[in-house]
Amino acid sequence: MAQRIPNHLVSNSLLPYLSSSPSTSLFRLTTAYTSSSLTDASRPASRSFSTTRPSQTKLRREMIRWLRGKGSELQHHTPGETNYITHTNKPFPGNPLYRSDPILSEDMRNEIHRQVTVQNKSVRAVSVQYSVDMRRVAAVVRLVELENQMKEQGKSLALPYARAIHEMVPVTHLREHDDRRKSHETINDLPVHRLTDPQIFYPVSESRQFNRIDAGRVFSAAPALRNQRAEWLEANPDETIRRITQESPANIEKVGKGDEEHQVLLPADARIPHPHMITHERNRLTIGKTEPAEVRQKYRERLEQETQVELQRKERAQQRLEMKTQKVQPENSRFEFRFTDVVVSRETTGLTGRGHKAPGRRYGVPSSDRKKGQVKIPTRVKV
């Protein structure tokens, strides 16, 4: 019996080769199929492309018309202005809620650096003077110092890139003393504390006022203050904020035991970056209309007092660190060895062994620096 021919090999082009003789038909079919396959394999692969012009849709025609008309103005930006379609600080017309944040100009950066390094003003005072966040002020000082160091070493700076960026985004320039323009950014935003995440319903008697100090103690699971103490704190808000901000952080009340111990959440007036501005605003509303000079004088004195307290606190911390550190410098050596006594215990290492008060964080437990997904860059600037 002759071999059955597969159906997928039979086509209209193969019908002439099929005859009444099964063996002859099979031979002719196999020969024809093999020869045609070799011919197709030796033929170079080609594809026919259409020369018909693609159809222009309505949206495409409108886009080309806009690029040749109004859009041609954006091909080259005007120096000193943003190259946005809306010609404002809104780069996306479809999203009016998004606004491009401004950056500091070169003269503004240099003036901030001069005020801190040459005039010896505190970061807090410079932040209030130029309406720039304290973290940004500290970052500007460090970056300008790094830039000056690179200039001394003869390294090249990316000045063309900086000029291009300053011409295409909003820029805050150095203002004069009598200039009342809009500030660069908000400097007194209240940071969100982790203890304020849960929603708590706390019953309070109608005879007692529930203020921010009480709210902080409720979020911290701390017992309520006595009535006399609460009334005194409420009657003297300025003195309350001064005591909280100028005293050592170690004197803040703590609650909890062991690893669950934490400080009592301070009121919002004390947790903002510039608590003294609340007292200044309160004085301005009470005696500002009759004694404006006295209000300004009190503000300057309060700011200087907080600056001195902060400097003294840093000096005491540095002295305590030097007392704990033993320095050894061998003769005819340019190296200095520093030894610090450490205590490795359950209180210093913690339950996980990564406590920051003992070397177990670095040596006792493998570090997480080489793990994927770990943040290895600084996430904050200490001021």
Side-chain angles (χ1 to χ4, degrees), residues 216-223 255 262:
R217 300 187 68 86
V218 170
F219 278 117
S220 305
V255 293
H262 60 273

Side-chain angles (χ1 to χ4, degrees), residues 206-267:
E206 297 181 358
S207 60
R208 179 178 178 180
Q209 294 184 358
F210 191 81
N211 52 26
R212 296 176 178 177
I213 298 179
D214 298 330
R217 300 187 68 86
V218 170
F219 278 117
S220 305
L225 295 175
R226 295 183 179 180
N227 294 337
Q228 296 180 355
R229 178 65 175 171
E231 292 176 358
W232 185 89
L233 294 177
E234 184 179 356
N236 302 274
D238 299 343
E239 183 66 18
T240 302
I241 300 302
R242 188 194 66 80
R243 288 187 177 184
I244 294 176
T245 55
Q246 296 186 7
E247 288 184 357
S248 175
N251 297 333
I252 299 177
E253 182 182 356
K254 296 182 180 180
V255 293
K257 297 181 180 180
D259 293 339
E260 301 297 333
E261 184 181 14
H262 60 273
Q263 294 179 346
V264 175
L265 183 63
L266 299 178

Side-chain angles (χ1 to χ4, degrees), residues 285-339:
L285 295 177
T286 54
I287 61 176
K289 296 182 179 180
T290 57
E291 300 292 340
E294 183 180 356
V295 173
R296 291 192 295 268
Q297 180 65 21
K298 288 184 177 181
Y299 174 75
R300 287 192 294 266
E301 293 177 356
R302 192 180 303 108
L303 187 60
E304 293 178 359
Q305 185 179 5
E306 290 192 1
T307 303
Q308 293 296 330
V309 171
E310 185 177 357
L311 292 177
Q312 293 176 3
R313 186 182 304 168
K314 291 182 179 180
E315 291 178 358
R316 290 195 299 267
Q318 184 66 22
Q319 291 177 0
R320 289 194 299 267
L321 180 61
E322 292 180 355
M323 291 177 61
K324 295 180 180 179
T325 305
Q326 181 180 2
K327 300 179 181 180
V328 177
Q329 184 174 5
E331 296 182 359
N332 301 327
S333 176
R334 59 188 181 92
F335 298 101
E336 182 183 68
F337 300 93
R338 301 178 182 180
F339 302 92

Side-chain angles (χ1 to χ4, degrees), residues 354 365-376:
R354 297 181 181 274
V365 178
S367 178
S368 302
D369 294 343
R370 296 184 178 272
K371 291 183 179 179
K372 293 183 178 180
Q374 298 292 332
V375 180
K376 304 178 181 62

Side-chain angles (χ1 to χ4, degrees), residues 94-318:
N95 187 8
L97 299 179
Y98 179 85
R99 297 177 182 271
S100 180
D101 294 332
I103 61 176
L104 298 177
S105 62
E106 292 293 332
D107 52 352
M108 187 74 162
R109 293 195 312 116
N110 296 332
E111 180 62 22
I112 291 177
H113 177 263
R114 189 184 68 84
Q115 292 285 343
V116 176
T117 58
V118 180
Q119 300 293 336
N120 293 328
K121 289 187 177 181
S122 63
V123 176
R124 187 184 303 275
V126 176
S127 173
V128 176
Q129 181 179 355
Y130 296 103
S131 298
V132 180
D133 191 83
M134 289 195 297
R135 295 169 296 181
R136 194 179 303 278
V137 172
V140 165
V141 174
R142 295 185 180 185
L143 290 177
V144 174
E145 288 289 341
L146 180 60
E147 182 179 345
N148 296 336
Q149 183 179 357
M150 293 177 62
K151 291 180 180 179
E152 294 177 357
Q153 296 176 356
K155 296 182 179 180
S156 59
L157 303 177
L159 297 180
Y161 174 77
R163 285 193 294 266
I165 294 297
H166 279 73
E167 292 179 356
M168 292 188 294
V169 299
V171 180
T172 301
H173 296 278
L174 181 63
R175 59 186 181 183
E176 302 296 337
H177 295 287
D178 55 348
D179 194 353
R180 298 295 181 181
R181 288 182 296 178
K182 186 178 179 180
S183 60
H184 177 73
E185 58 187 346
T186 57
I187 61 175
N188 228 9
D189 292 337
L190 178 65
V192 179
H193 199 276
R194 60 179 181 84
L195 295 178
T196 60
D197 292 339
Q199 187 178 13
I200 301 177
F201 294 91
Y202 186 76
V204 182
S205 61
E206 297 181 358
S207 60
R208 179 178 178 180
Q209 294 184 358
F210 191 81
N211 52 26
R212 296 176 178 177
I213 298 179
D214 298 330
R217 300 187 68 86
V218 170
F219 278 117
S220 305
L225 295 175
R226 295 183 179 180
N227 294 337
Q228 296 180 355
R229 178 65 175 171
E231 292 176 358
W232 185 89
L233 294 177
E234 184 179 356
N236 302 274
D238 299 343
E239 183 66 18
T240 302
I241 300 302
R242 188 194 66 80
R243 288 187 177 184
I244 294 176
T245 55
Q246 296 186 7
E247 288 184 357
S248 175
N251 297 333
I252 299 177
E253 182 182 356
K254 296 182 180 180
V255 293
K257 297 181 180 180
D259 293 339
E260 301 297 333
E261 184 181 14
H262 60 273
Q263 294 179 346
V264 175
L265 183 63
L266 299 178
D269 298 349
R271 289 190 290 117
I272 57 178
H274 300 279
H276 59 278
M277 297 185 67
I278 296 181
T279 306
H280 172 67
E281 187 67 17
R282 187 180 292 110
N283 294 338
R284 190 183 66 83
L285 295 177
T286 54
I287 61 176
K289 296 182 179 180
T290 57
E291 300 292 340
E294 183 180 356
V295 173
R296 291 192 295 268
Q297 180 65 21
K298 288 184 177 181
Y299 174 75
R300 287 192 294 266
E301 293 177 356
R302 192 180 303 108
L303 187 60
E304 293 178 359
Q305 185 179 5
E306 290 192 1
T307 303
Q308 293 296 330
V309 171
E310 185 177 357
L311 292 177
Q312 293 176 3
R313 186 182 304 168
K314 291 182 179 180
E315 291 178 358
R316 290 195 299 267
Q318 184 66 22

Side-chain angles (χ1 to χ4, degrees), residues 50-85:
S50 175
T51 58
T52 306
R53 186 176 181 181
S55 59
Q56 296 286 345
T57 61
K58 180 181 179 181
L59 295 178
R60 185 178 179 85
R61 289 194 300 269
E62 292 179 355
M63 181 192 68
I64 296 176
R65 189 182 306 111
W66 182 85
L67 290 176
R68 294 177 179 176
K70 186 178 179 180
S72 60
E73 301 175 358
L74 303 175
Q75 185 176 3
H76 304 285
H77 75 280
T78 304
E81 298 181 1
T82 57
N83 198 30
Y84 297 155
I85 298 178

